Amino acid sequence: MAKVRGAIVVDTVTCKGCSLCVESCPTDVIRLAAEVNAKGYNYAYMENPEACIGCANCAMVCPDSCITVYKVKVAEAV
Amino acid sequence: MALEVKDIIKPENLVYAKTKLLTERMLHYCPGCTHGVVNKLIAEVIDELNIQEDTIGVTPVGCSVLLYNYIEIDWHEAAHGRAPAVGTGIKRLRPEKYVFTYQGDGDLAAIGTAETIHACNRGENMLMVFINNGIYGMTGGQMAPTTLEGMKASTCPFGRDVEHDGNPLNMTSIVATLPGTCYVTRQAAHTAPAVRKLKKALRKAFENQKDKKGTSFIEVVATCSSGWKMNPVQSNKWMEANMFPIYPLGDIKDV
Ligand SMILES: Cc1ncc(C[n+]2csc(CCOP(=O)(O)OP(=O)(O)O)c2C)c(N)n1
Ligand code: SF4
Ligand code: SF4
């Protein structure tokens, strides 16, 4: 169905677990991990990677520029 | 066949990455702080306009005092509230440079009110970025001139009482009335659409300098989750419900 697929890479060292990316994702891809990073923050990760459309909304709102975004066009499955 | 994440994460599929103008330093701001988003957007715009070598920023006193550590351009640190005066000096000596100031509401709208108004009134050909989080973030969340009526701060724990403390000061509306300003807008950075709009406004403001139009003034209605004592997501919701009615978003002046 999906015509595009996306993926994000979160810099888990600099992520501060603010959750703004989680809120901004239109397809509910991101969650905060139960584990914490060295600074003690529950960092963001892709919980539902198949749902990512590579829109970069999460990266736009991230105050700490932790998110890198990738996107590919995929042939429509019939 | 299902596409795997590792097939998507390839250089040729890259659509967004941290701009190279941001240094490797980790930002000192609290989680979710609007300062981080605006710092990043300024870096992106300078990069996209390819004016890194020709841009001089002036940092304030406040939480963003260390901004000069984060963007790879030339900087000058100003005393509290004096960024517009310092920016004026730089721009007059080096009119070919792109100059911008970056200030919080305590800096720009309290101790620096005179500098703000006179720089705008003289129409100094520079950009002034105004981060309005309604509070003195750095020093512990004291009431600012911009604090909303009824809003709690450490120096008004029962909420701002306008009888006693005066009314919230709307600097952006004031500077829009001055003939020296060419572009005055109020923006936010809490959602992806807001971020995209703010970035456009920043780009336009830098371009206005090339056209010698006068002062561009961009207010960003912002949060301070530490000072407001809410988490970043709650802070954004509170800002939408309470700040936006008093500080409505949009262009106020564009000549
Ligand atoms: C001359 C002078 N007076 C007072 C201070 C103390 N001071 C430091 S930051 C600040 C207010 C900062 O608030 P704001 O400009 O709103 O920025 P924020 O920290 O919220 O980003 C004050 C009063 C100072 N550093 N210098
Ligand atoms: S917006 Fe950035 S800092 Fe905040 S949780 Fe997401 S990746 Fe981490
Ligand atoms: S105190 Fe407020 S303004 Fe300062 S860094 Fe923290 S959230 Fe940002």
Side-chain angles (χ1 to χ4, degrees), chain B residues 185-191 194 197 219-222 239-240 243-252:
Chain B
T185 187
R186 202 183 284 109
Q187 301 285 331
H190 63 312
T191 62
K197 269 195 202 150
E219 172 179 349
V220 184
V221 185
M239 174 179 71
E240 282 180 335
M243 298 277 280
F244 289 180
I246 306 298
Y247 303 115
L249 305 189
D251 290 353
I252 299 172

Side-chain angles (χ1 to χ4, degrees), chain B residues 161-180:
Chain B
D161 170 8
V162 298
E163 296 266 315
H164 185 265
D165 310 319
N167 286 285
L169 185 64
N170 195 326
M171 283 300 274
T172 305
S173 299
I174 292 172
V175 303
T177 65
L178 303 174

Side-chain angles (χ1 to χ4, degrees), chain A residues 8-12 14-22 24 30-32 37 41-45 58-59 61-67, chain B residues 31-32 232:
Chain A
I8 63 167
V9 177
V10 178
D11 183 340
T12 55
T14 56
C15 172
K16 294 177 184 162
C18 70
S19 213
L20 295 182
C21 56
V22 178
S24 76
I30 313 170
R31 290 280 183 281
L32 296 188
N37 61 19
Y41 295 123
N42 300 92
Y43 51 84
Y45 74 101
C58 54
V61 301
C62 175
D64 293 88
S65 302
C66 308
I67 303 180

Side-chain angles (χ1 to χ4, degrees), chain B residues 35-73:
Chain B
H35 278 305
V37 185
V38 184
N39 292 185
K40 165 183 78 175
L41 294 178
I42 291 172
E44 288 179 3
V45 167
I46 293 171
D47 187 25
E48 285 165 23
L49 292 173
N50 202 17
I51 55 172
Q52 177 183 12
E53 297 297 328
D54 292 310
T55 305
I56 304 172
V58 184
T59 46
V61 170
C63 280
S64 51
V65 63
L66 299 175
L67 172 53
Y68 49 70
N69 283 330
Y70 302 139
I71 308 179
E72 293 276 16
I73 54 168

